[in-house]
């Protein structure tokens, strides 16, 4: 089975702190994603990576950065956490080629509260 | 630009009744369409997907969806609801045919199943 593992399920951080959310996948997927999930808004793409050291901004990249030094690991960084970044964060991965409509596999999510 | 609209943020059915969750999309390219389910405190799991070919798609747990190009719809149905179907359901469309990893999600529909 594909496994996407998010290291922290629940975090509470203070405003202004630097926050790292870590994600690891074990299926040798090229694509990795970070989404943010908020009630009534569905999932919104923060950042996307299709290869090591490659990244693309998604729909809501402001206040976030990412790092992909190894193929299996994709980190989301909140440089200076703010209360409006309190949310559920979902990591996901998939194979690169999209001809057949590749399935995205999701981690279980990280609930971040910024106080 | 692609977009997804799920009609109804909450749907309530009785156990054994028909489940119908509505999804309409807009896409400037032939769409790849997905339904995902999220159980409480978990990540998203793929229910089914439409890429090409047969417009009636069968998924896991007895769910199916029909792609109707003329109506730009991809509604999810299940003939008989079970209590275990209570969850949040997301419809999604691929942003492009070249890399279906980047999805646009609807706002989500919470399904309640009453005994």
């Amino acid at each position: 089975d594909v496994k996407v593992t998010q290291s922290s399920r629940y975090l509470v951080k203070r405003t202004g702190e630097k926050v790292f959310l870590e994600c690891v996948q074990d299926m040798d997927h090229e694509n990795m994603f970070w989404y943010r999930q908020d009630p009534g808004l569905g999932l919104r793409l923060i950042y996307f990576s299709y290869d090591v050291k490659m990244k693309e901004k998604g729909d809501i990249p402001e206040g976030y950065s990412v790092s992909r030094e190894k193929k299996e690991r994709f980190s989301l960084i909140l440089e200076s956490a703010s209360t409006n970044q309190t949310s559920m964060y979902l990591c996901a991965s998939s194979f690169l080629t999209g001809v057949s409509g590749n399935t995205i596999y999701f981690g279980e999510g990280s609930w971040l509260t910024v106080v | 630009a692609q977009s997804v609209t799920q009609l109804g943020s909450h749907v309530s059915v009785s156990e054994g009744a028909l489940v119908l969750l509505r999804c309409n999309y807009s896409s400037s390219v032939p769409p790849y369409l997905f339904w995902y389910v999220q159980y409480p405190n978990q990540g998203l799991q793929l229910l089914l997907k439409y890429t090409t070919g047969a417009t009636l798609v069968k998924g896991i747990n007895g769910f199916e969806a029909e792609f109707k190009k003329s109506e730009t719809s991809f509604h999810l149905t299940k003939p008989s609801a079970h209590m275990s179907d209570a969850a949040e359901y997301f419809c999604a469309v691929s942003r492009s045919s070249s890399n279906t990893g980047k999805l646009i999600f609807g706002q989500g529909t919470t399904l309640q199943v009453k005994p």
Side-chain angles (χ1 to χ4, degrees):
Chain A
D1 276 357
V2 174
K3 192 105 174 125
V4 179
T5 303
Q6 295 183 230
S7 56
S8 302
R9 290 298 311 276
Y10 302 96
L11 307 93
V12 179
K13 298 292 182 180
R14 295 193 179 279
T15 300
E17 273 193 79
K18 190 169 186 175
V19 181
F20 292 85
L21 300 179
E22 307 286 347
C23 175
V24 177
Q25 51 93 4
D26 66 357
M27 278 300 291
D28 204 33
H29 286 163
E30 294 88 357
N31 290 341
M32 295 191 75
F33 312 84
W34 276 105
Y35 284 91
R36 172 176 171 161
Q37 182 180 2
D38 298 288
L41 297 178
L43 279 73
R44 294 177 290 168
L45 182 63
I46 305 173
Y47 265 98
F48 160 65
S49 170
Y50 56 89
D51 200 354
V52 174
K53 297 191 185 294
M54 305 303 289
K55 61 185 178 184
E56 281 186 16
K57 292 181 180 179
D59 299 316
I60 51 165
E62 296 78 18
Y64 304 95
S65 63
V66 290
S67 172
R68 193 164 181 202
E69 298 296 319
K70 294 185 178 182
K71 189 175 185 180
E72 68 271 18
R73 187 179 297 271
F74 193 35
S75 302
L76 180 69
I77 304 157
L78 287 68
E79 296 289 344
S80 178
S82 63
T83 55
N84 62 13
Q85 292 178 310
T86 292
S87 187
M88 161 84 125
Y89 291 88
L90 287 161
C91 177
S93 69
S94 74
F95 285 116
L96 178 63
T97 55
V99 175
S100 61
N102 286 321
T103 299
I104 296 181
Y105 296 88
F106 284 85
E108 292 195 325
S110 297
W111 285 97
L112 172 65
T113 302
V114 182
V115 297
Chain B
Q2 287 91 339
S3 67
V4 175
T5 302
Q6 291 182 238
L7 300 175
S9 58
H10 288 85
V11 171
S12 182
V13 301
S14 298
E15 192 173 19
L18 171 72
V19 175
L20 171 60
L21 304 183
R22 299 177 187 273
C23 174
N24 287 91
Y25 70 91
S26 68
S27 178
S28 55
V29 297
Y32 293 172
L33 295 159
F34 304 79
W35 275 100
Y36 279 85
V37 61
Q38 184 179 35
Y39 298 104
N41 298 317
Q42 294 187 24
L44 277 68
Q45 177 184 2
L46 181 69
L47 270 179
L48 49 80
K49 64 182 178 183
Y50 168 79
T51 54
T52 58
T55 56
L56 182 63
V57 180
K58 295 187 184 298
I60 62 172
N61 301 337
F63 284 94
E64 62 182 35
E66 187 171 11
F67 169 59
K68 291 187 176 181
K69 185 178 179 180
S70 61
E71 298 178 8
T72 61
S73 69
F74 191 56
H75 301 330
L76 182 71
T77 60
K78 182 173 180 177
S80 176
H82 295 156
M83 297 296 292
S84 60
D85 294 328
E88 189 160 21
Y89 293 80
F90 292 94
C91 181
V93 63
S94 172
R95 293 175 188 238
S96 73
S97 58
S98 61
N99 186 338
T100 57
K102 291 194 285 188
L103 301 183
I104 296 172
F105 286 86
Q107 306 92 318
T109 298
T110 300
L111 176 64
Q112 180 187 23
V113 182
K114 298 178 290 186

